[in-house]
């Protein structure tokens, strides 16, 4: 293949544009691949990604049962087109999560019919069983495993009351199929050593199946925006009502700060009305210190990140953490949990960010309070974080390394 431009089909069973990681990964990776001269077409189920000019999108419609505006909806009879639609609805009705399996059943016939148009297929953590049929069409398959969702499962089950244990286990039933498929994909991209080690342990994969490629950040977009930041502003991008992301830990830390502390949190998330996050805010009496925002544009998100005095990533687990890298690129001092991949991203020496024990609101509160009280320390951390983001986490480097994996997969297929 040499260095000639590649024809790439990138599959993503859902690609939410501004949160959740998958749609962000699709947007920036395909843009960087385009900039390197490659021809890229994205095949995605809803929600669909936002793509740059020159990157094509083929929509792979589903019943869209998890639409934010109408989650767990009941489709009208006329919406059912085939047995895959029936499977999707029936799985949801029995508390399962059907999208990886049903998306792969829909996208594989499209790819097989156009096999001559592509050199390689890159799957963005679908790992649906039907994808293995691409080998019959002579299409090399590369997977991206951001992290095995088995980590989410463990933490969700640990936090769930007994009455929710059975439906949660059913919801995560798709993991068995993902693990079985992942073991058969010869080459997989993963953003951190921690994610690779977890996949080896939980999915039974082998180290030689992986190529570790950090996820990039748009350092022109996420950048320091001026000398003045909003006094006391903390910012966090952490899914509400999801134990894995540690927002409850951050809220408890906020409640421990002195009453005269200027700290106030802007959390980029949308909690369920009347759900556990809203209840916790009320129980802790910190409603005056917390603002929830969602649906921000890319520009608004970058401006918010650059306006904070401290960014917080309180997660109990992260396969990589784009919010951490975006905060670093913004020159915003960072406090993050010392767990999973976060020490790889932030660095353990404390020069580009502070690490605290995961799930410990006392330690988190102490770190936040110390930073808010020390502008010189904040300035040193922010400058070092920016330099680390620029030198280590660029989308151009991510795309170039990913293209090398494509060429390796193509060479293996002959």
């Amino acid at each position: 293949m040499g260095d000639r431009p590649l024809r790439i089909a990138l599959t993503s069973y859902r690609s939410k544009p501004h949160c959740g990681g998958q749609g962000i990964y699709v947007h920036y990776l395909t843009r960087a691949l385009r900039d390197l001269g490659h021809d890229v077409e994205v095949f995605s189920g809803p929600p669909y990604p936002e793509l740059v000019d020159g990157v094509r999108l083929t929509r792979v419609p589903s019943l869209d049962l998890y639409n934010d505006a109408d989650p767990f909806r009941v489709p009208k009879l006329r919406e059912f087109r085939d047995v895959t639609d029936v499977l999707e609805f029936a799985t949801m009705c029995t508390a399962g999560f059907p999208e990886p399996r049903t998306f792969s059943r829909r996208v594989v016939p499209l790819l097989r019919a156009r096999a001559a148009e592509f050199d390689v297929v890159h799957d963005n953590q679908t790992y649906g069983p039907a994808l293995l049929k691409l080998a019959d069409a002579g299409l090399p398959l590369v997977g991206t495993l951001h992290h095995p969702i088995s980590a989410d499962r463990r933490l969700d089950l640990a936090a769930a009351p007994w009455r929710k244990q059975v439906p949660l286990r059913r919801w995560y039933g798709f993991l068995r199929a993902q693990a079985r498929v992942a073991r058969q994909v010869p080459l997989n991209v993963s953003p951190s050593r921690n994610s690779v080690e977890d996949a080896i342990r939980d999915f039974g994969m082998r180290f030689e199946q992986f190529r570790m490629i950090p996820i990039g950040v748009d350092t022109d977009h996420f950048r320091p925006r001026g000398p003045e930041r909003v006094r006391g502003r903390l910012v966090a991008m952490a899914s509400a009502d999801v134990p894995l992301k540690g927002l409850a830990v951050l809220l408890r830390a906020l409640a421990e700060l002195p009453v005269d502390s200027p700290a106030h949190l802007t959390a980029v998330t949308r909690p369920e009305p009347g759900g556990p996050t809203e209840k916790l805010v009320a129980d802790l009496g910190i409603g005056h210190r917390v603002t929830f925002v969602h649906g921000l544009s890319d520009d608004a998100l970058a401006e918010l990140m650059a306006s904070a005095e401290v960014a917080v990533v309180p997660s109990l687990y992260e396969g990589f953490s784009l919010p951490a890298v975006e905060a670093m690129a913004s020159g915003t001092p960072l406090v993050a949990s010392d767990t999973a991949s976060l020490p790889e991203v932030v660095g353990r020496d404390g020069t580009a960010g502070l690490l605290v024990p995961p799930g410990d609101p006392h330690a988190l509160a102490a770190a936040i309070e110390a930073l808010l009280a020390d502008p010189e320390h904040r300035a040193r951390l922010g400058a070092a974080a920016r330099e680390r983001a620029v030198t280590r986490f660029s989308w151009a480097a991510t795309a170039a390394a990913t293209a090398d994996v494509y060429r390796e997969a193509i060479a293996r297929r002959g």
Side-chain angles (χ1 to χ4, degrees):
M1 281 288 163
D3 290 329
R4 78 162 175 81
L6 299 175
R7 303 170 302 164
I8 303 156
L10 194 150
T11 61
S12 185
Y13 70 91
R14 54 175 34 236
S15 309
K16 200 167 188 175
H18 301 293
C19 64
Q22 287 176 305
I24 296 170
Y25 179 77
V26 169
H27 174 90
Y28 284 106
L29 177 63
T30 57
R31 185 182 75 172
L33 288 167
R34 178 209 64 178
D35 291 346
L36 291 174
H38 302 296
D39 182 78
V40 188
E41 183 169 346
V42 174
F43 293 75
S44 175
Y48 300 111
E50 292 181 359
L51 303 175
V52 296
D53 291 343
V55 177
R56 301 182 305 282
L57 172 63
T58 292
R59 299 185 178 213
V60 184
S62 69
L63 292 176
D64 202 11
L65 301 177
Y66 306 96
N67 187 301
D68 286 345
D70 189 13
F72 304 102
R73 71 186 190 89
V74 177
K76 295 180 173 58
L77 189 60
R78 65 175 179 272
E79 295 182 60
F80 289 88
R81 298 157 296 189
D82 53 30
V83 68
T84 300
D85 286 351
V86 175
L87 174 64
E88 182 177 13
F89 183 62
T91 304
M92 184 198 74
C93 289
T94 54
F97 182 58
E99 286 190 354
R101 180 180 294 274
T102 53
F103 171 77
S104 69
R105 287 169 60 110
R106 293 180 178 113
V107 77
V108 164
L110 300 177
L111 292 169
R112 286 168 63 99
R114 298 176 55 193
E117 299 177 34
F118 301 106
D119 299 311
V120 66
V121 176
H122 180 181
D123 175 58
N124 181 30
Q125 195 145 338
T126 304
Y127 290 103
L131 290 171
L132 296 176
K133 297 179 181 178
L134 293 174
D136 298 337
L139 282 169
L141 176 64
V142 171
T144 284
L145 186 63
H146 297 283
H147 74 267
I149 307 300
S150 48
D152 308 55
R153 180 182 184 272
R154 276 194 299 272
L155 289 166
D156 279 355
L157 287 172
W162 66 267
R163 66 183 181 277
K164 291 188 177 180
Q165 295 279 325
V166 171
L168 261 180
R169 291 180 188 278
R170 168 60 179 156
W171 171 264
Y172 282 110
F174 70 92
L175 279 174
R176 290 189 295 272
Q178 280 199 328
R180 187 170 63 251
V181 173
R183 288 193 294 270
Q184 298 178 69
V185 178
L187 282 174
N188 301 268
V189 171
S190 199
S192 69
R193 176 171 289 274
N194 180 82
S195 289
V196 171
E197 291 171 349
D198 285 353
I200 292 169
R201 182 191 66 222
D202 294 352
F203 278 11
M205 300 177 73
R206 304 178 309 283
F207 188 80
E208 57 267 24
Q209 288 180 263
F210 287 97
R211 303 294 179 265
M212 281 176 280
I213 303 175
I215 293 174
V217 65
D218 186 344
T219 54
D220 292 328
H221 193 67
F222 287 93
R223 66 183 192 279
R225 304 228 169 189
E228 296 301 322
R229 293 174 181 257
V230 178
R231 178 66 180 132
R233 174 174 282 175
L234 313 176
V235 65
M237 294 176 62
S239 300
D241 310 319
V242 178
L244 181 86
K245 296 301 182 181
L247 183 57
V249 180
L250 175 53
L251 294 175
R252 291 190 174 95
L254 196 62
E256 291 194 12
L257 295 176
V259 293
D260 60 349
S261 169
H264 57 281
L265 171 66
T266 300
V268 185
T269 188
R270 180 167 60 179
E272 177 188 347
T277 298
E278 286 194 350
K279 185 176 185 301
L280 182 60
V281 169
D283 290 346
L284 294 172
I286 57 173
H288 63 293
R289 280 185 161 181
V290 181
T291 301
F292 296 107
V293 298
H294 68 277
L296 299 181
S297 67
D298 289 345
D299 286 340
L301 179 60
E303 289 172 4
L304 173 64
M305 193 68 77
S307 73
E309 287 197 320
V310 177
V312 187
V313 179
S315 304
L316 305 181
Y317 181 92
E318 286 286 353
F320 180 73
S321 185
L322 269 173
V325 182
E326 290 167 350
M328 293 164 65
S330 303
T332 302
L334 177 66
V335 181
S337 300
D338 188 3
T339 188
S341 67
L342 284 166
E344 294 180 56
V345 174
V346 180
R348 284 199 173 276
D349 62 4
T351 60
L354 303 184
L355 296 172
V356 298
D360 186 340
H362 309 294
L364 184 56
I368 292 170
E369 187 175 2
L371 277 182
L372 289 178
D374 190 342
E376 291 184 359
H377 192 190
R378 292 200 307 271
R380 289 195 302 272
L381 280 182
R386 170 69 182 176
E387 181 180 1
R388 184 177 176 87
V390 169
T391 56
R392 294 187 177 220
F393 304 115
S394 78
W395 278 111
T398 296
T402 304
D404 287 342
V405 179
Y406 298 157
R407 291 190 177 96
E408 184 180 353
I410 293 164
R412 288 188 180 195
R413 289 290 299 175

